[in-house]
Amino acid sequence: MQPLPSSYRDNNGFVFKQDGNIYRCIHPGYEPHYSRLMSSGLYLELVKQARLIPHREITEKENFDIKDGRIIMPEQVPFISYPYEWSFDMWKDAALLTLQIANTSLKKEMILKDASSFNIQFVKGKPLFIDTLSFENYTAGAPWIAYRQFCECFLAPLLLMHYCHPATGRLFTVYPNGIPMNVLSTLLPRRSKWHMNTLLHVHLQAKFSGRQKQKTTAENNFSKQKLEILLKGLENFVQKLTLKKTKTTWDDYYTGTILGNEYLNAKTALVKSFVSEIKFNNVIDLGANDGHFSLLFTEDKNVIATDADSNCINDLYLRIKKTGRANILPLVNNLTTPSPAIGWNNTERESITARLKADLVMALALVHHLAIANNVPLSLIADWLQPMGEYLIIEFVPKTDEKVKLLLQNRKDIFRDYSLEDFKNIFAHKYQFIKEEKVGGTDRVLFLMKRNA
């Protein structure tokens, strides 16, 4: 039995996979903290509030090669996402959840010792804390040990997206353990120093980081009241942060930059018709934009909606949050530079390509952007899509289309193998074609395919 690669940091236990399920072993040394978590009512309260992942204890341990300690089985998370795939308001809600859990824990004489953003997953449209071993018994007078980690793992990306640009959240792929305060301080504009909270939680931390100093009496007497004030102050600060608004190419793609309502209505009708022909439970919507097609699926279908445009994904998340749609997970991801495998030995965090698996994949109005705008050959696109899912709904946009003409207007047409015939010949090696229909009065063609055995 091997711990998962991302579990090596935890001295109190480890996460492992057996028979397709995720389990967690809890070492005997963590027992006093775990016992208090369960007996104090903190676990039940957080689970009831849908803030902490529920679990059940495994009493029959003969099937597990573990000599001592407890084994728990958490509720299984359908899809593991990583923070650098979140939009601004997803980061914000994850940060607020972390602070709320820390505050609730304190009331039960416990403290949240970890404030890593990797401890959060989005399940049923909401952030959920998944690290059951992040709670420790509170020691009177001790400061919040996870304060700096919270600032680097939550405040840093939020402030970058607030002051600089929505896409700066991807900087977390470079600093997955948290963006260092001295780095953050140099990236933020000078005017940020005039904001008291940013000055206190970022710039002053950056100024004094790395300096050796002895613990003072005050540091050993950080009262619970001060800790509550700190947590409440951080919560108020995060709550007021807003996303810096920037105009992107795809902000109004389905309302102002496509062929019109006739095209959208025709494609919508075709997609509904195609999906009625097959059986599936899980969907990946690649290049989802504002989620128009993701929202077509009923609540019993799980949908991962990805797009490179963080504005579109953030708007989709807010819409899901407002309407209570629990079956769609929106993620920011540039398909030509997808989330890589990172961390120790490149195994700690999987690439998004390795994680994206479903029954049905949708690639609508996407192929021409990959092939023409980014020079990806159709053969590589087919190779990339096939492992993702059994069924594929894909749209081919020919060179006669106005959007492709726009992509080619300032460059030489080097794409000799980009035609409907080439597309069909190449994809026929990977898929069998089930349906093929022109979209409305356009030259665009929508295909329903099934992966070859």
Side-chain angles (χ1 to χ4, degrees):
M1 181 186 305
Q2 290 293 324
L4 293 184
S6 59
S7 194
Y8 74 93
R9 299 172 185 271
D10 193 353
N11 294 322
N12 295 316
F14 60 89
V15 178
F16 64 95
K17 193 172 186 177
Q18 183 164 307
D19 299 327
N21 293 315
I22 298 294
Y23 297 88
R24 188 162 206 157
C25 175
I26 302 175
H27 294 326
Y30 184 73
E31 185 63 31
H33 308 290
Y34 177 78
S35 295
R36 180 161 191 84
L37 170 67
M38 303 304 294
S39 64
S40 65
L42 177 58
Y43 168 82
L44 288 176
E45 182 175 344
L46 292 177
V47 167
K48 187 176 181 181
Q49 295 169 345
R51 292 179 175 178
L52 175 65
I53 194 165
H55 69 260
R56 67 180 180 88
E57 293 190 12
I58 304 298
T59 53
E60 314 84 17
K61 295 193 291 184
E62 59 271 10
N63 295 327
F64 300 91
D65 185 22
I66 294 177
K67 295 179 180 179
D68 51 18
R70 294 178 184 262
I71 298 176
I72 63 173
M73 182 180 180
E75 183 179 275
Q76 304 297 287
V77 177
F79 183 84
I80 298 295
S81 66
Y82 296 138
Y84 37 81
E85 296 160 352
W86 301 343
S87 69
F88 175 83
D89 278 281
M90 295 173 78
W91 275 102
K92 183 174 178 177
D93 286 350
L96 291 172
L97 175 68
T98 301
L99 293 170
Q100 290 159 0
I101 288 177
N103 199 29
T104 303
S105 301
L106 199 56
K107 291 178 172 57
K108 299 290 187 180
E109 297 298 317
M110 298 201 80
I111 192 72
L112 198 63
K113 69 180 181 67
D114 292 317
S116 168
S117 46
F118 288 100
N119 287 343
I120 306 290
Q121 287 298 320
F122 281 82
V123 180
K124 298 178 181 177
K126 298 178 181 179
L128 183 70
F129 197 85
I130 64 166
D131 191 0
T132 311
L133 275 59
S134 279
F135 301 88
E136 281 193 350
N137 295 329
Y138 170 67
T139 301
W144 187 27
I145 191 173
Y147 166 65
R148 187 178 185 86
Q149 187 180 38
F150 177 84
C151 292
E152 294 180 339
C153 290
F154 285 105
L155 267 189
L158 282 169
L159 287 170
L160 284 171
M161 288 185 275
H162 170 74
Y163 280 108
C164 303
H165 193 278
T168 50
R170 292 201 69 188
L171 186 60
F172 213 72
T173 58
V174 181
Y175 297 104
N177 298 322
I179 300 171
M181 289 294 102
N182 57 350
V183 173
L184 177 64
S185 182
T186 60
L187 294 175
L188 294 178
R190 184 174 296 179
R191 61 188 172 89
S192 67
K193 295 182 179 180
W194 295 102
H195 192 289
M196 180 57 68
N197 280 307
T198 312
L199 176 65
L200 176 64
H201 298 301
V202 176
H203 296 295
L204 289 181
Q205 275 206 75
K207 183 177 180 180
F208 294 110
S209 64
R211 294 188 183 182
Q212 295 291 331
K213 61 175 183 177
Q214 294 182 340
K215 290 185 177 180
T216 65
T217 304
E219 287 176 311
N220 290 315
N221 191 27
F222 200 89
S223 69
K224 183 186 286 190
Q225 184 181 18
K226 287 182 181 178
L227 189 48
E228 289 171 340
I229 291 172
L230 172 64
L231 292 171
K232 194 62 182 176
L234 284 168
E235 187 176 343
N236 290 335
F237 180 31
V238 171
Q239 193 70 259
K240 292 175 182 177
L241 289 175
T242 56
L243 176 64
K244 182 175 182 177
K245 282 296 179 183
T246 56
K247 180 68 176 176
T248 67
T249 307
W250 315 111
D251 276 346
D252 56 352
Y253 186 75
Y254 283 119
T255 57
T257 62
I258 60 169
L259 302 176
N261 287 332
E262 183 181 349
Y263 161 76
L264 180 59
N265 293 336
K267 188 159 76 169
T268 301
L270 278 179
V271 169
K272 288 181 177 179
S273 172
F274 283 12
V275 299
S276 69
E277 301 271 334
I278 59 176
K279 292 182 179 180
F280 63 96
N281 293 309
N282 304 304
V283 183
I284 298 169
D285 188 359
L286 300 170
N289 194 259
D290 65 359
H292 173 86
F293 291 95
S294 294
L295 291 162
L296 296 179
F297 295 97
T298 54
E299 293 276 355
D300 62 324
K301 310 297 183 187
N302 294 315
V303 183
I304 298 170
T306 74
D307 200 278
D309 192 309
S310 53
N311 283 352
C312 290
I313 291 298
N314 199 59
D315 288 344
L316 177 57
Y317 173 70
L318 291 176
R319 184 175 179 180
I320 290 167
K321 184 178 174 181
K322 183 178 180 180
T323 59
R325 287 290 296 267
N327 66 317
I328 300 175
L329 174 61
L331 296 176
V332 180
N333 203 64
N334 187 326
L335 298 177
T336 57
T337 55
S339 303
I342 63 173
W344 175 250
N345 199 28
N346 288 118
T347 59
E348 192 175 348
R349 314 289 177 192
E350 284 188 314
S351 72
I352 194 167
T353 307
R355 286 175 280 134
L356 285 176
K357 306 295 177 189
D359 305 315
L360 170 63
V361 178
M362 293 200 305
L364 306 176
L366 176 66
V367 170
H368 58 300
H369 291 290
L370 297 176
I372 305 295
N374 292 281
N375 291 38
V376 183
L378 291 175
S379 59
L380 292 186
I381 296 174
D383 289 343
W384 167 65
L385 288 170
Q386 193 202 34
M388 283 191 202
E390 182 179 7
Y391 292 99
L392 172 66
I393 296 178
I394 189 167
E395 183 176 13
F396 181 78
V397 182
K399 289 183 181 179
T400 54
D401 191 272
E402 291 301 319
K403 293 302 173 186
V404 178
K405 289 180 180 178
L406 193 63
L407 292 173
L408 288 170
Q409 69 177 358
N410 294 319
R411 61 182 304 188
K412 184 179 179 181
D413 184 356
I414 59 173
F415 307 100
R416 291 170 296 180
D417 299 327
Y418 185 85
S419 69
L420 181 58
E421 184 180 357
D422 292 320
F423 174 84
K424 292 172 74 171
N425 288 337
I426 289 169
F427 274 76
H429 291 291
K430 301 289 182 180
Y431 297 89
Q432 56 178 294
F433 295 179
I434 300 175
K435 297 192 77 172
E436 173 186 344
E437 297 280 351
K438 274 199 171 186
V439 184
T442 73
D443 290 332
R444 298 185 176 201
V445 184
L446 200 66
F447 293 86
L448 172 62
M449 306 179 184
K450 184 176 182 181
R451 179 172 60 192
N452 290 335

